[in-house]
Amino acid sequence: QVQLVESGGGLVQAGGSLRLSCAASGRTFSSYAMGWFRLAPGKEREFVASINWSGGSTYYTDSVKGRFTISRDSAKNTVYLQMNSLKPEDTAVYYCAAYRGTAQAMGVIKVANYWGQGTQVTVSS
């Protein structure tokens, strides 16, 4: 059974930082891209960032470029999202996802094969 378990969400003031973690288990993810999506109240689900599991290639949505960094630790089967210079509009539930394809395809097509349960990120102004 595939499991993606997120952690690291919370409440932070605008301009602050948070680091989200996603621990993957249940299968070998060497052929999967890993990524993050977010869902804010009243909005559609939005792709945030993705990374190829083995190659390290990354892909970001424009609104987080220069502020967010996605990385992975293959030995720990864990993916991270470092979020700096947070803004109130970053407030959302953040979901970890796995996709059997490339990081770019995950970002362009905005799909995934597996999803985590989500972690809340709230940025106060």
Side-chain angles (χ1 to χ4, degrees):
Q1 182 178 0
V2 174
Q3 277 195 316
L4 301 176
V5 180
E6 303 99 332
S7 62
L11 173 64
V12 65
Q13 288 188 331
S17 298
L18 281 174
R19 188 177 81 154
L20 306 182
S21 300
C22 172
S25 63
R27 68 166 302 125
T28 301
F29 287 91
S30 59
S31 60
Y32 282 74
M34 301 294 293
W36 294 89
F37 290 74
R38 64 188 179 186
L39 182 61
K43 295 186 178 181
E44 294 184 353
R45 184 181 64 196
E46 178 185 27
F47 166 82
V48 177
S50 58
I51 185 168
N52 283 344
W53 191 258
S54 58
S57 296
T58 57
Y59 194 80
Y60 297 92
T61 190
D62 287 345
S63 63
V64 307
K65 285 180 181 177
R67 299 189 299 123
F68 291 10
T69 301
I70 189 170
S71 61
R72 86 276 188 260
D73 184 333
S74 299
K76 296 182 178 179
N77 261 7
T78 300
V79 176
Y80 304 97
L81 185 68
Q82 177 66 43
M83 304 185 294
N84 298 329
S85 301
L86 282 162
K87 304 175 181 180
E89 51 263 43
D90 294 317
T91 295
V93 177
Y94 283 70
Y95 296 90
C96 178
Y99 175 62
R100 191 174 177 85
T102 66
Q104 185 175 18
M106 190 178 195
V108 171
I109 305 171
K110 301 176 177 57
V111 294
N113 297 105
Y114 300 102
W115 297 90
Q117 82 287 352
T119 185
Q120 177 70 47
V121 171
T122 303
V123 184
S124 62
S125 57

